[in-house]
Every structure is written in C-alpha cells, then in structure tokens.
Amino acid sequence: MEIAMSDTATAAPYQATDRTVPTRSRERASYDRELVHGLLDEAYVCHLGFVRDGAPVVLPTLFARVGERLYIHGSTGSRPLRAAGQADPGLAVCLTVTHVDGLVLAKSAFHHSINYRSVVVHGIAHEVTDPGEKRAALDALVDHVVPGRSLDSRPANAKELAATAVISLDLNEVSAKLRTGGPNDDPEDLALPHWSGVLPLTPGYGAPVPAEGLDPALPVPDYLSAL
Amino acid sequence: MEIAMSDTATAAPYQATDRTVPTRSRERASYDRELVHGLLDEAYVCHLGFVRDGAPVVLPTLFARVGERLYIHGSTGSRPLRAAGQADPGLAVCLTVTHVDGLVLAKSAFHHSINYRSVVVHGIAHEVTDPGEKRAALDALVDHVVPGRSLDSRPANAKELAATAVISLDLNEVSAKLRTGGPNDDPEDLALPHWSGVLPLTPGYGAPVPAEGLDPALPVPDYLSAL
C-alpha cells in the first residue's frame, strides 16, 4: 500500500495540540499534511466517535476528503447526523482511520505488535446546508469509493437529496501515527530460538461481480479495472 | 473472509437494548453470539471510543476475546487505561470492529454503498488486577494476532507485567451489522447504461519477512504458514 500523492506537498504541517500529542510512542506521531491526506484517501471507511447521553459511540461510516474538509453522509434520520444539525455549535466528533499493514512477531510476547498507519481527527462537525456544497460532497463520497464513478451514475434527485444529510469536519486538529519495520526485541532475547519478523497484510481486489440482471453487454468500466 | 466457528453455537443471542437497535436499516442488525464472536476474532484491531474532557476520542488498538470478555492492553501510562483503573465504576467505552468486504456500485449515486460486517460493543471497561487473569489476557492478546504464538515466545517477565495495564470489557450490550449482496437500485434506474455490481475486497498475507539478524536456520513456524 503506497501513500497517495496529494496536492499540498508544500503546505505546513498540522499544528500539534494537547490531544494530538500521544502520551506514548511520540516518535510514531506525524503532522504531515501530505501523509495525512494519503492515509485518509486510501481508507474506505472511518470510525466516527461522538458522545450520546454522556457515553461514547463509535460507528463505521463512509467519508470523503475535499481539500482540508471531510464529509460524512447519512440518512436525515440517523442519530449523529441529526445531532450535528441540531446542536449549536455542532457535534463534537473524533474521526479515526486505520490501515493494518503487518503482524509483528517478536522473540518476547511483550514486543509483539502490529504495523499500522492511522489518522485521528478531532473537531466539531456541522451540517452542510449550502446546496452546491452538498452536491459536491455527495459526488466526492461516490468518487472516494471508486474514483471517477460520480460521472458514470445517475446523480441524486431532489427526493434523494432531501433524504440525505451531509456533515463536514475541517482538518485542523489532526495527527497520524505509524508503526513500521520489524520487531524491537531486547538484546538479551535475540538468541532465543523463536522465529521473529513481520507477516505483511496485503489487501487486494477480487473480480467484479455484475449486479443481478445487468445487461451483459455493459463492460466493466476502466476506472474499476484500474483498481 | 469466512465467519469463524465459535464454541457457543447454541447460546442465546445478545439482548437488544435501546442503543444497540439501529435507527436505520434495522434488517441489517444481528445479535447472534456466534456471528459476533467470529467477527471479533477475525479482526486485528478494534476502534476504542471513550470520553475525555467531555469530547469523544477514538483510538485503534489490539484486543482479544476470551469467551464473553474482551481484553485490551497498553502501557500503564496510556490515557484510557489509566482512566479505566482510576474511575469508579470504570471507563465507559464503545468498542467497534469493522470488516470492509466490497464496493457496491449502483446505477444511481444514491444507492452506492459498501459491503461490510461490523460489531459494536457498549460497556464499562475495568482494569484487570488479578495476576492470573492478567497473564491469561496477555497470552490471548498474542494468540489473537497469531493463533498459537504465545507458546512460542518468551512470556512477560515481572518488569514487563508491571509496565502493562490490561482492561476488560464484558460482552453484554452487543450488536452486529451487516450489508451483503449487490446494489439495491430503484426499478426505474435498471435500464440506465452504467455498469453496476460489486467489487470484492480480498485481504491476504504476503511472504513472512524475517527480523534483521534472525538466525537463518530458524524455519517459518507452521502456525504462521497456516495463515
């Protein structure tokens, strides 16, 4: 899995805050915009956290990035989206994305680990009410799943737009955290007779499965084969 | 990705509660223990949500299941683990696991989706203070990453045990949610000239990478090749 290039290679990093500086393994933290954008764009779902009745709730959901803003959509009846629309000044959220890259087997149980790349975004989510921004966000959500697909599907009609709520979350308080490489065994354990190293995880795609009843003359589109 | 078999095939399902009944797509919800156990066991990381200073925090972390109890470990200095140890009656958490199985391309932008299987656990996490349970939990955490590995690595010593905090979360308030199958297009869209169907995501493993300096005479263990 390669980190995708972004359009802000020369931008300043995100400003670290009290809650984006980890208490542990600080050397694994990064505030690099290009890195963060790539990790976000590579993920199909995020885990969105919010507080309901004083307790945390974490739900997986689709999202998309447009520049320095993330979008999440859902039914106008869904609880977090309703809350973001009603609350003033919005809904406090934490949006997290994680890629698991490998299993790290050390000589000692203690140093077993996982290679991963994650992004954590803290902020206040707001409902998107501008019709133009809402349409662009919905296109971005489709294109986040399959780049180029929004141009090859029927756009949302008025009824669908009315049934869909979109919330936005700006990328201000953001950090990435990465673990890469082999096990960090203690020197005195290196001679132990256990295999040690990394088992990489390799995500991939299967063959496209046409919808039931799809006209067999319709070819698999190039933007899908490209994945 | 197949759902692993569990040892509680005949057990009663989890009791649905107000917060484990989704407001949307209720037909996708399940409270089946066997299904939930399989989805948890298949995941390498969970996303753990908790509340800090009134705001949500969502962090990826390793976990393991032993029967109807989940374990999470971390440094005794990490914020959520410290909070679980200090707070009475514990730390309110939401632990979520998600498998992304496929990209669903519909004729309409509106019906694009993702095939997924997720589990959401609500509850109160407590620090594990019993030394025997703590050791067993640490073994389970290693074996969750690579089944059988805890017997083929140096167990934690007293210093490592003291540096590691383990918290537990019982499986009481639990639900799974699944989306499977092809796109749910509206009948009036079926003749549109867009390809529709599912692009499956196929996780896999790469070749094991030995640690730097590993004795080349040490073979890759069978429990690793079995993955």
Side-chain angles (χ1 to χ4, degrees):
Chain A
M1 294 197 284
E2 294 196 348
I3 310 292
M5 293 297 292
S6 86
D7 48 354
T8 52
T10 57
Y14 294 107
Q15 187 82 42
T17 69
D18 177 52
R19 57 183 177 179
T20 63
V21 175
T23 45
R24 306 290 304 175
S25 306
R26 291 191 184 189
E27 74 287 356
R28 294 183 186 168
S30 168
Y31 305 93
D32 184 89
R33 274 175 209 267
E34 188 179 356
L35 175 75
V36 164
H37 290 180
L39 293 179
L40 291 168
D41 296 349
E42 184 184 333
Y44 286 114
V45 302
C46 66
H47 282 81
L48 182 73
F50 55 97
V51 180
R52 188 168 65 211
D53 301 333
V57 180
V58 179
L59 298 178
T61 187
L62 286 171
F63 73 104
R65 180 182 70 86
V66 177
E68 293 293 337
R69 181 167 283 187
L70 300 181
Y71 293 103
I72 297 154
H73 76 326
S75 156
T76 48
S78 89
R79 284 188 269 211
L81 279 80
R82 244 169 24 206
Q86 287 167 358
D88 183 17
L91 179 71
V93 298
C94 180
L95 184 153
T96 300
V97 152
T98 306
H99 302 280
V100 180
D101 296 332
L103 314 180
V104 182
L105 285 73
K107 299 278 188 176
S108 62
F110 185 74
H111 283 297
H112 277 67
S113 189
I114 283 206
N115 280 339
Y116 67 93
R117 295 164 296 141
S118 64
V119 169
V120 176
V121 182
H122 297 275
I124 306 291
H126 298 276
E127 186 176 356
V128 175
T129 52
D130 178 79
E133 184 181 4
K134 188 172 173 180
R135 275 204 176 273
L138 292 175
D139 283 348
L141 281 154
V142 170
D143 287 332
H144 180 86
V145 176
V146 180
R149 177 67 181 181
S150 70
L151 292 174
D152 186 24
S153 53
R154 176 179 64 68
N157 58 33
K159 189 183 158 197
E160 291 166 345
L161 276 174
T164 308
V166 175
I167 60 177
S168 68
L169 173 65
D170 286 343
L171 294 172
N172 288 319
E173 201 170 349
V174 184
S175 61
K177 204 170 171 189
L178 298 90
R179 194 220 183 269
T180 58
N184 296 322
D185 266 310
D186 298 326
E188 58 269 31
D189 288 332
L190 290 176
L192 291 174
H194 311 297
W195 188 90
S196 63
V198 175
L199 184 67
L201 299 182
T202 53
Y205 299 97
V209 180
E212 213 175 282
L214 183 72
D215 178 356
L218 283 174
V220 172
D222 288 343
Y223 53 75
L224 205 59
S225 311
L227 295 179
Chain B
M1 294 197 286
E2 293 197 348
I3 310 291
M5 293 298 291
S6 86
D7 48 356
T8 53
T10 56
Y14 294 108
Q15 187 82 43
T17 70
D18 176 54
R19 58 183 177 179
T20 64
V21 175
T23 45
R24 306 290 304 176
S25 305
R26 290 190 185 190
E27 74 288 356
R28 295 182 185 168
S30 168
Y31 305 92
D32 184 89
R33 273 173 209 267
E34 190 179 354
L35 175 76
V36 163
H37 291 180
L39 292 178
L40 290 168
D41 295 350
E42 183 184 334
Y44 286 114
V45 301
C46 66
H47 282 81
L48 183 73
F50 54 98
V51 179
R52 189 168 63 211
D53 301 333
V57 180
V58 179
L59 298 178
T61 187
L62 287 170
F63 74 104
R65 180 182 69 87
V66 177
E68 294 293 337
R69 181 167 283 184
L70 301 182
Y71 293 103
I72 298 154
H73 75 326
S75 158
T76 48
S78 88
R79 285 187 270 210
L81 279 79
R82 243 168 25 205
Q86 287 166 357
D88 183 16
L91 178 71
V93 298
C94 180
L95 185 152
T96 301
V97 152
T98 306
H99 303 279
V100 180
D101 296 333
L103 314 180
V104 183
L105 284 74
K107 300 275 187 178
S108 63
F110 185 73
H111 283 297
H112 277 66
S113 189
I114 284 206
N115 280 340
Y116 67 93
R117 294 165 296 143
S118 64
V119 170
V120 175
V121 182
H122 297 274
I124 306 291
H126 298 275
E127 186 175 356
V128 174
T129 53
D130 177 81
E133 185 181 5
K134 187 171 174 181
R135 275 203 174 274
L138 293 174
D139 284 348
L141 282 154
V142 170
D143 287 332
H144 180 86
V145 176
V146 181
R149 177 67 180 182
S150 69
L151 293 173
D152 186 24
S153 54
R154 176 179 65 68
N157 58 34
K159 189 182 156 195
E160 291 167 345
L161 276 174
T164 307
V166 175
I167 60 177
S168 67
L169 172 64
D170 286 343
L171 293 172
N172 288 319
E173 200 170 350
V174 183
S175 60
K177 204 170 172 190
L178 298 90
R179 194 219 183 271
T180 58
N184 296 323
D185 266 309
D186 298 326
E188 59 268 32
D189 288 332
L190 289 176
L192 290 175
H194 312 296
W195 187 91
S196 63
V198 174
L199 185 67
L201 299 181
T202 53
Y205 298 97
V209 180
E212 213 176 282
L214 183 73
D215 178 355
L218 283 175
V220 173
D222 288 343
Y223 53 75
L224 206 58
S225 311
L227 295 179

